[in-house]
Amino acid sequence: MDVQSELSRFLKSRRARLRPEEVGLTSYGRQRRVPGLRREELAQLAGVSVTHYTRLEQGQSQNVSAEVLDAIAGALRLTADERAHLHRLARPDAPGSLSDESAGVRPGLLGLMDSMVLTAALLIGRRTELLAWNALFHQVFGEMGPVPSQRTASHYLFLNENARRWGAYWERNARANVAYLRTGLARYPHDERLKGHIAAMRMRSPEFEALWQAHEVEEWSGSGESLVWDHPVEGPIEFDYQRVLLPDDPEVRGLLLWSARPGTPSHDRVRRLAALATPGFPLA
């Protein structure tokens, strides 16, 4: 099998099976020369440039990131098997993909998260690792990082510009992240992975270093509050945010949940995103 040709054919076939109205686009009755979505429409849904997507569809997958592939997979409404196939075609020599992140996590937890169609769910480790997330989380918050070892809340908050969409909440969350890591270092003084994570963040982020020098400490606890996320397509979404502790899993710190209240504009926006994240999910 020629991998480049197969990648091109696969993407074209998945794009051809989607109609504009299925993904919330309006065709305005214009004659369409090809079935399904146009390249520019798919690129818009995935949040990537038309040039970037066109090159990928032509089989030019050099240096494409796992995040871009997942964004395209979400826009194409790929199944889990199709998503894995896309990763294998586009990154045949990649050491791993997002699915590897959930290794060691209880299957029951993963199943629970996947069942939360209208709730964005994220499982976080005790070193702030992003262990697993459901389809809606990815659709709402975007990519978490191209390198598995750097998929942590710390990397996301301090090195991913997308995190600034939290507005005023970003600073509060950033301070809490550093304070929690300092508390964790005292609790696990011989954890070399934790030490290495902190050292790397201090070198890479002046903001992290400044907060580290403040010597603040904070325990990670179950709590709830209201937050607003500025989604790049849907706009502001108000979430009820909950942190759930999982004391029976020593390597897992907890489960983070974001849900919008029924009957609100935010809930309508979440439903539209859920329809993109979950094939067959009804908009109404």
Side-chain angles (χ1 to χ4, degrees):
M1 178 184 68
D2 178 71
V3 175
Q4 287 188 335
S5 297
E6 183 64 19
L7 173 61
S8 178
R9 288 193 293 265
F10 178 70
L11 285 172
K12 289 177 181 177
S13 70
R14 301 302 90 178
R15 179 165 60 85
R17 71 180 180 180
L18 287 177
R19 296 193 302 272
E21 56 269 24
E22 290 179 317
V23 294
L25 297 177
T26 303
S27 62
Y28 300 107
R30 292 179 295 178
Q31 183 67 33
R32 304 179 74 86
R33 292 179 298 173
V34 295
L37 298 181
R38 298 186 178 94
R39 284 176 175 172
E40 58 268 25
E41 292 171 334
L42 193 282
Q44 178 185 356
L45 288 172
V48 302
S49 71
V50 177
T51 300
H52 199 156
Y53 175 75
T54 300
R55 288 173 179 169
L56 184 64
E57 194 173 277
Q58 291 172 344
Q60 302 175 36
S61 61
Q62 298 87 346
N63 301 318
V64 64
S65 69
E67 290 71 33
V68 168
L69 292 175
D70 279 320
I72 292 171
L76 288 171
R77 300 187 177 186
L78 299 187
T79 66
D81 289 344
E82 289 172 337
R83 184 184 294 261
H85 183 62
L86 174 62
H87 276 270
R88 284 191 291 268
L89 291 175
R91 306 174 77 232
D93 299 321
S97 62
L98 291 178
S99 60
D100 298 325
E101 291 301 287
S102 58
V105 177
R106 286 189 286 122
L109 276 176
L110 297 178
L112 175 64
M113 293 170 64
D114 286 340
S115 71
M116 297 178 180
V117 180
L118 285 173
T119 298
L122 169 69
L123 200 63
I124 190 166
R126 65 181 179 87
R127 303 177 190 90
T128 80
E129 310 100 316
L130 309 181
L131 299 176
W133 50 88
N134 65 3
L136 181 60
F137 177 90
H138 179 269
Q139 197 68 45
V140 172
F141 299 118
E143 301 301 333
M144 294 297 104
V147 182
S149 63
Q150 296 178 9
R151 292 188 193 126
T152 72
S154 306
H155 283 86
Y156 175 71
L157 285 166
F158 292 95
L159 302 176
N160 189 331
E161 285 300 317
N162 201 39
R164 307 294 171 144
R165 290 184 174 277
W166 282 116
Y169 178 71
W170 177 88
E171 182 177 358
R172 180 155 51 95
N173 205 17
R175 295 176 72 91
N177 175 266
V178 177
Y180 164 71
L181 286 172
R182 183 175 287 280
T183 302
L185 191 59
R187 182 180 289 108
Y188 306 105
H190 304 297
D191 188 334
E192 296 301 324
R193 285 180 58 192
L194 179 59
K195 290 179 182 179
H197 170 63
I198 294 171
M201 290 303 306
R202 293 181 66 185
M203 287 190 296
R204 295 190 62 184
S205 171
E207 291 173 304
F208 185 100
E209 172 64 9
L211 290 173
W212 185 259
Q213 293 298 336
H215 292 269
E216 295 180 357
V217 295
E218 181 177 320
E219 292 285 350
W220 205 92
S221 60
S223 65
E225 56 186 314
S226 179
L227 307 172
V228 176
W229 167 254
D230 183 17
H231 190 272
V233 176
E234 290 291 341
I237 303 176
E238 184 174 0
F239 284 108
D240 287 329
Y241 168 66
Q242 298 289 330
R243 293 190 299 189
V244 181
L245 297 178
L246 299 171
D248 293 334
D249 295 83
E251 292 299 310
V252 178
R253 197 63 189 148
L255 182 63
L256 311 184
L257 303 171
W258 293 263
S259 61
R261 296 180 184 179
T264 65
S266 291
H267 191 261
D268 294 336
R269 291 166 185 150
V270 169
R271 288 190 67 88
R272 288 193 290 270
L273 293 171
L276 293 175
T278 306
F281 182 81
L283 278 172

